């Protein structure tokens, strides 16, 4: 009986491996192998036939003013944009989980930015925030001075708002699905026992929404590192200092064919994402164990 079960499991495993093979091969060829080669290049002094130099490329990278500026701007963007996105999407999910007028229309309107191409989104924002754009035209009509928004300290705020507007629908739908998976009996029982809305939110909603909330937080952090397309199309190769992100730095190193700094910067960014992901998963696991 055991041998028959083992044969069946091995046969099912072989069939599963056969179906997964195209995806695994594509992932290895286009992602895994290039990353391993890039990781190796970050420890050499040349792209072809280079010698191993240890962590010298990483030391040079950390002493680079442009890299430190890019890393600081990226961390600032993530620290501001992600909490704002989570708070707004959570608020919208709670509101749309109730019986509201035009609720279906509101859900659709918040999801529309997901299907709009990035180039079209950037074009709209350029028209609005350009020197001769809509916002400056309104300011001119009010007798106020024009502002070069993308060449001022407001530029980071503009990109944060665009990031939130672009991703709020996706996060809202995920949180809304998590809210709707919580049994309503829990709220009815808590209400009969005299628990108010705040206690219900704290002891029921937050507890049972934690796995979804951590997943949304993780996806939002990863998406914050992928904001390069918007900033590149909006401000070009060398934007205002406040908008100079890690992706700008790596893109410029690519055009300069400085493979060592490029791969070292990419490895550091991947390492930061992995550490953030591991920390969030560990925190989520501890929170779930303590709540149980």
């Amino acid at each position: 009986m055991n041998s028959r079960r083992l044969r069946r499991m091995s046969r099912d495993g072989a069939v599963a491996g056969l179906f997964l093979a195209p995806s695994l091969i594509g992932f290895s060829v286009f992602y895994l192998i290039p990353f391993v080669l890039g990781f190796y290049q970050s420890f050499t002094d040349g792209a072809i036939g280079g010698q191993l130099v240890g962590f010298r490329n990483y030391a040079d990278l950390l002493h680079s003013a442009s890299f430190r500026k890019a890393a600081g701007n990226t961390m600032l963007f993530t620290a501001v944009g992600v909490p704002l996105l989570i708070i707004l999407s959570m608020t919208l999910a709670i509101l749309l989980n109730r019986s509201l007028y035009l609720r279906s229309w509101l859900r659709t309107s918040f999801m529309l930015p997901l299907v709009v191409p990035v180039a079209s989104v950037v074009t709209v924002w350029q028209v609005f925030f350009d020197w001769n754009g809509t916002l400056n035209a309104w300011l001119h009509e009010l007798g106020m001075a024009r502002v070069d928004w993308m060449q001022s300290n407001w530029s980071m705020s503009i990109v944060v708002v665009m990031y939130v507007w672009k991703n709020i629908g996706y996060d809202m739908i995920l949180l809304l699905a998590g809210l709707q998976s919580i049994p309503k009996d829990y709220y009815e029982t808590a209400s009969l026992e005299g628990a108010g809305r705040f206690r219900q939110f704290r002891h029921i909603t937050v507890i049972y929404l934690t796995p979804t909330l951590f997943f949304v937080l993780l996806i939002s952090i990863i998406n914050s590192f992928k904001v390069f397309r918007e900033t590149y199309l909006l401000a070009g190769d060398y934007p205002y200092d406040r908008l100079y992100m890690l992706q700008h730095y790596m893109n410029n190193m690519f055009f300069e064919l400085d493979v060592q700094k490029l791969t070292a910067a990419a490895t550091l960014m991947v390492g930061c994402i992995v550490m953030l992901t591991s920390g969030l998963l560990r925190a989520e696991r501890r929170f779930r164990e303590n709540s149980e």
Side-chain angles (χ1 to χ4, degrees):
M1 192 70 179
N2 292 330
S3 60
R4 183 182 304 175
R5 182 177 299 176
L6 289 175
R7 286 197 301 269
R8 182 180 301 173
M9 291 177 61
S10 62
R11 185 173 64 250
D12 293 342
V15 173
L18 182 63
F19 280 101
L20 291 174
S23 298
L24 292 175
I25 293 173
F27 176 78
S28 300
V29 171
F30 294 105
Y31 290 95
L32 184 60
I33 295 177
F35 177 77
V36 173
L37 293 176
F39 181 73
Y40 172 77
Q41 291 291 338
S42 68
F43 293 98
T44 64
D45 59 357
I48 300 177
Q51 301 294 323
L52 290 174
V53 294
F55 291 93
R56 191 178 72 185
N57 294 323
Y58 292 91
D60 294 340
L61 194 68
L62 295 176
H63 285 87
S64 172
S66 58
F67 174 79
R68 292 199 303 269
K69 181 193 302 180
N73 289 338
T74 303
M75 288 189 292
L76 176 63
F77 175 82
T78 301
V80 174
V82 172
L84 184 62
L85 174 62
I86 296 297
I87 292 173
L88 292 178
S89 58
M90 182 70 173
T91 303
L92 287 175
I94 293 174
L95 291 175
L96 294 179
N97 194 37
R98 303 175 180 177
S99 298
L100 296 177
Y101 181 67
L102 297 177
R103 183 174 61 176
S104 299
W105 182 85
L106 289 173
R107 291 178 183 176
T108 304
S109 64
F110 284 114
M111 290 296 294
L112 282 178
L114 291 175
V115 300
V116 179
V118 175
S120 301
V121 172
V122 172
T123 300
V124 173
W125 286 80
Q126 283 178 331
V127 170
F128 191 75
F129 289 103
D130 188 72
W131 176 261
N132 295 314
T134 306
L135 183 56
N136 277 331
W138 292 346
L139 294 177
H140 181 71
E141 291 294 331
L142 294 174
M144 302 172 64
R146 294 175 181 267
V147 179
D148 193 353
W149 298 100
M150 300 311 300
Q151 297 297 323
S152 67
N153 290 330
W154 288 100
S155 55
M156 174 69 77
S157 303
I158 293 172
V159 177
V160 167
V161 173
M162 183 168 60
Y163 161 76
V164 171
W165 178 77
K166 179 71 176 175
N167 294 279
I168 193 171
Y170 180 69
D171 288 3
M172 180 198 67
I173 290 298
L174 292 177
L175 292 171
L176 187 59
L179 288 172
Q180 292 179 349
S181 66
I182 302 175
K184 295 182 179 180
D185 297 341
Y186 295 169
Y187 294 100
E188 294 176 357
T189 303
S191 179
L192 291 175
E193 293 179 354
R197 290 187 177 181
F198 178 76
R199 294 189 62 186
Q200 292 180 24
F201 175 79
R202 179 182 176 184
H203 296 286
I204 298 177
T205 304
V206 173
I207 296 297
Y208 289 96
L209 196 63
T210 296
T212 305
L213 193 59
F214 272 94
F215 175 75
V216 171
L217 179 60
L218 179 61
I219 293 298
S220 301
I221 291 175
I222 294 175
N223 287 335
S224 70
F225 282 90
K226 295 160 54 179
V227 76
F228 170 70
R229 295 175 301 172
E230 290 83 351
T231 55
Y232 181 80
L233 294 174
L234 198 61
D237 295 341
Y238 294 92
Y240 185 70
D241 284 353
R242 184 60 70 184
L243 280 183
Y244 192 70
M245 305 288 187
L246 277 175
Q247 294 89 344
H248 284 100
Y249 179 84
M250 290 186 285
N251 186 64
N252 295 332
M253 291 302 102
F254 173 78
F255 281 114
E256 294 177 7
L257 297 180
D258 195 339
V259 179
Q260 282 64 50
K261 288 184 178 179
L262 168 64
T263 53
T267 302
L268 285 178
M269 189 175 73
V270 171
C272 290
I273 294 176
V274 170
M275 286 190 296
L276 283 172
T277 303
S278 301
L280 285 174
L281 293 176
R282 190 178 297 110
E284 191 270 338
R285 191 181 303 112
R286 289 183 179 179
F287 182 85
R288 186 168 50 191
E289 290 175 355
N290 293 332
S291 63
E292 291 176 354

